Amino acid sequence: MYPTEAILLEKLTKVFYARQKKVIALEDIHLSVKEGEFLCIVGPSGCGKTTLLRILAGLEKQTRGKVIMRSKNPEKPLTSMVFQGDSIFPWMTVVENVAYSLRIRGFSREKRREVAGQYLRLMGLDGFANAFPHQLSGGMKQRINVARAFVSDPEILLMDEPFGALDEQNRLILQQELLKIWEGSGKTSLFITHSIDEALILGDRIMVMTAHPGKVKAIVPINIPRPRDILSLRSSPNFGALFKEIWQLLQEEVLKAKSTEMNK
Amino acid sequence: MSLLEEHIHETFGRIIIKEEKGESKTILIDKTFILKVLAFLSPSLLLLLWEIFARLGFIDVRLFSSPVMIFKTMLPMFYSGELLYHTFISAQRILLGFLTGAVPGVILGLSMGLFPPVRASLMPMVAATFPIPKLAIMPLILIIFGLGEASKIFTIAIGVFYLVLINTMAGVLNIDDIYLDVAKNFGATPFQFYSTVAFPGALPMIFAGFKLGMGTALLLIVAAELSAAKAGVGWMVWRAYDMFDIEKMFVALITMAFLGYIFSYLLDMIERMVIPWVNNRR
């Protein structure tokens, strides 16, 4: 019997060797993500969040354990990752960047422009199609980053703190736009963030991780109905209670991570 | 605020002075304009001093000539086509030598950057032969390729080759890992990996190598035309030396400076066309 979940992780463990020292990045991660679910991952720095996403993206291999991902349509790519930081190709124009996955899959130039054009409009990048990234602001670049992942139309979307480097205003705007696009697509998504606010706004569930080694501490369901709106969301009574719950879980871990760092 | 400050506003290098009462007079002094004037004035002044000192006998015109004397030698050489002929011969050698060195330099540099086994097997040879002064190899090149054009082209090519190779390899190795991850995540094939990431990513460094290589090519042309040549700007220098014709020597030097300027201008132009994504900092 095959599992029906989109992602199933069993006893996933990743061990690094950094300067002859053994570092356990992830230990016995158990996780199941339903199809169409938006899972946010929070945890102190260095808890292996990024490593987890890189394993799912096929950029790294686990040391032990099972990773099962269900692919409904072999024509589509299994995963697309929105990387942390600046990963937009500086040598390609905006439209070439957004359509990159289509070029890899051998689509014609016209088809590429057509599909990318839709997402450029959705992300408010109209009129910047032929600009080069160095002419754009950080917020614009992250729009391209997100659009590039959506254009590839993957089964699973992996986002590693895509809005981490943005200012508050840009962040709010992009969160709202991501909500809009994502709620329209219904893609299974994993989203790493440092911001509890952001996790509550976007996620169906929030996974809180422990540090050194990275384990699952708790998974909290977010029962806020969709479609969501950032403004009304913050004033809902649930929001405050959930924020408190997540922060209490996270606070312990952040303090623990601090004290182990000091003992080194 | 003093009265003076009230009426002088400095904005972006322009000093604007406004006068009181009725009609205001605006004087614009553009800093960039001043800089341009300075850039023209100082070499002109130097030439003028040179000429004056030569006429007054402060400097020995038999050794240092004078701007007017050089110009008088240059004009007939220009009109007779002699100068153009030598310039053309040298330009041709530089261009052919440059291409013969740069093309294999880029190809080998890319493969050494991309594939660790290629790098591991070729790097020792590159590292061992790179420090040999290219002039020291010239006699060997003359023996192998003879006294014709081939030896001159090859001398230039070998100097260009190393600089382009090393810069191209460094260009590939310096590409940020995140771009490689993106290509990998989207499932790029090895060829797509090369065409969409490695080559465009290394292009700025490749062009830096081209520019260094061009500098070396201009250096080597003089050496290459020293032996067994019958034409070329480098040959003109040596010929003038043999004849103790100082004016002709200066004419050749000026032509060489001009050639160097033209080639680097062309490279800059091609670079701007090929790499439009790099911020132009000049």
Side-chain angles (χ1 to χ4, degrees), chain B:
Chain B
M1 199 187 268
S2 77
L3 199 73
L4 191 67
E5 277 174 301
E6 223 168 31
H7 296 284
I8 298 177
H9 309 273
E10 190 175 341
T11 49
F12 296 106
R14 295 180 308 172
I15 299 163
I16 301 163
I17 303 165
K18 282 185 184 155
E19 258 176 28
E20 278 177 274
K21 283 175 196 170
E23 80 236 51
S24 65
K25 199 170 124 201
T26 311
I27 304 163
L28 290 172
I29 304 165
D30 201 322
K31 259 188 195 165
T32 54
F33 177 71
I34 296 172
L35 291 179
K36 272 181 188 162
V37 169
L38 271 178
F40 175 77
L41 223 59
S42 79
S44 310
L45 189 71
L46 189 74
L47 284 177
L48 191 69
L49 282 177
W50 183 3
E51 184 65 35
I52 291 169
F53 286 168
R55 298 219 171 179
L56 293 177
F58 290 169
I59 53 176
D60 191 343
V61 287
R62 285 171 307 174
L63 296 179
F64 296 101
S65 192
S66 85
V68 170
M69 285 162 79
I70 294 164
F71 189 67
K72 275 182 181 163
T73 316
M74 196 173 202
L75 269 186
M77 284 176 78
F78 184 77
Y79 283 122
S80 69
E82 185 191 351
L83 194 57
L84 279 176
Y85 169 72
H86 290 297
T87 311
F88 177 76
I89 293 278
S90 288
Q92 197 180 26
R93 283 171 184 157
I94 291 171
L95 209 64
L96 284 175
F98 183 81
L99 288 176
T100 315
V103 171
V106 169
I107 293 169
L108 258 169
L110 280 176
S111 31
M112 282 175 76
L114 276 176
F115 309 112
V118 179
R119 187 162 67 247
S121 45
L122 294 184
M123 201 55 210
M125 285 175 271
V126 173
T129 51
F130 176 55
I132 301 174
K134 305 302 164 279
L135 291 178
I137 316 175
M138 248 193 77
L140 187 65
I141 292 172
L142 279 174
I143 292 169
I144 297 170
F145 290 94
L147 302 175
E149 284 303 286
S151 62
K152 292 166 193 69
I153 289 166
F154 202 78
T155 303
I156 293 166
I158 214 162
V160 174
F161 170 76
Y162 279 97
L163 292 168
V164 173
L165 169 82
I166 285 166
N167 270 277
T168 305
M169 185 178 71
V172 176
L173 291 175
N174 279 329
I175 294 173
D176 201 326
D177 279 347
I178 201 163
Y179 300 128
L180 311 183
D181 281 344
V182 172
K184 204 173 158 192
N185 182 233
F186 283 123
T189 62
F191 177 74
Q192 287 171 332
F193 192 79
Y194 160 85
S195 64
T196 64
V197 180
F199 183 64
L203 262 181
M205 281 291 276
I206 291 176
F207 264 90
F210 284 171
K211 285 176 184 174
L212 286 172
M214 187 50 82
T216 306
L218 288 163
L219 191 100
L220 289 172
I221 188 75
V222 185
E225 288 177 347
L226 164 63
S227 51
K230 285 184 182 60
V233 188
W235 172 83
M236 272 171 72
V237 176
W238 293 113
R239 177 76 178 164
Y241 170 77
D242 289 338
M243 312 292 281
F244 203 73
D245 190 344
I246 297 294
E247 280 77 34
K248 224 171 193 171
M249 199 184 279
F250 271 106
V251 170
L253 292 178
I254 291 164
T255 311
M256 233 167 231
F258 179 73
L259 255 184
Y261 179 79
I262 292 288
F263 274 122
S264 76
Y265 179 81
L266 283 176
L267 268 179
D268 278 346
M269 210 171 70
I270 296 167
E271 186 183 24
R272 270 197 295 277
M273 269 175 353
V274 178
I275 323 181
W277 65 85
V278 173
N279 260 323
N280 207 349
R281 277 177 219 89
R282 271 155 295 167

Side-chain angles (χ1 to χ4, degrees), chain A residues 35 38 40 64 73 123 141 154 177 200 203 218 230-231 253 257:
Chain A
E35 200 188 311
F38 198 117
C40 287
R64 273 197 309 279
N73 186 351
M123 291 303 271
K141 285 185 195 171
E177 271 166 14
L200 287 170
I230 294 185
L231 281 175
E253 290 311 314

Side-chain angles (χ1 to χ4, degrees), chain A residues 54 57-59 79-81 83-84 86-92 100-101 103-104 132 134 148 152, chain B residues 175 178-189 192 195-198 200-201 276-279:
Chain A
R54 288 177 65 86
L59 297 172
T79 66
S80 280
M81 187 144 165
F83 289 84
Q84 188 180 11
D86 200 353
S87 70
I88 295 300
F89 297 124
W91 50 84
M92 292 183 195
Y100 183 65
S101 63
R103 180 170 170 188
I104 294 297
F132 280 103
H134 75 82
R148 182 170 66 184
S152 73
Chain B
I175 294 173
I178 201 163
Y179 300 128
L180 311 183
D181 281 344
V182 172
K184 204 173 158 192
N185 182 233
F186 283 123
T189 62
Q192 287 171 332
S195 64
T196 64
V197 180
W277 65 85
V278 173
N279 260 323

Side-chain angles (χ1 to χ4, degrees), chain A residues 1-56:
Chain A
M1 247 287 277
Y2 290 108
T4 53
E5 287 88 351
I7 304 171
L8 193 64
L9 306 180
E10 275 175 14
K11 286 194 161 184
L12 184 74
T13 301
K14 175 75 183 178
V15 181
F16 283 116
Y17 288 91
R19 277 178 258 126
Q20 316 267 314
K21 265 178 82 179
K22 192 174 166 183
V23 178
I24 303 170
L26 297 167
E27 190 174 67
D28 288 338
I29 304 276
H30 282 270
L31 177 70
S32 70
V33 182
K34 283 198 291 291
E35 200 188 311
E37 189 182 6
F38 198 117
L39 179 83
C40 287
I41 304 170
V42 295
S45 312
C47 74
K49 302 179 295 256
T50 298
T51 309
L52 179 62
L53 242 59
R54 288 177 65 86
I55 290 172
L56 291 175

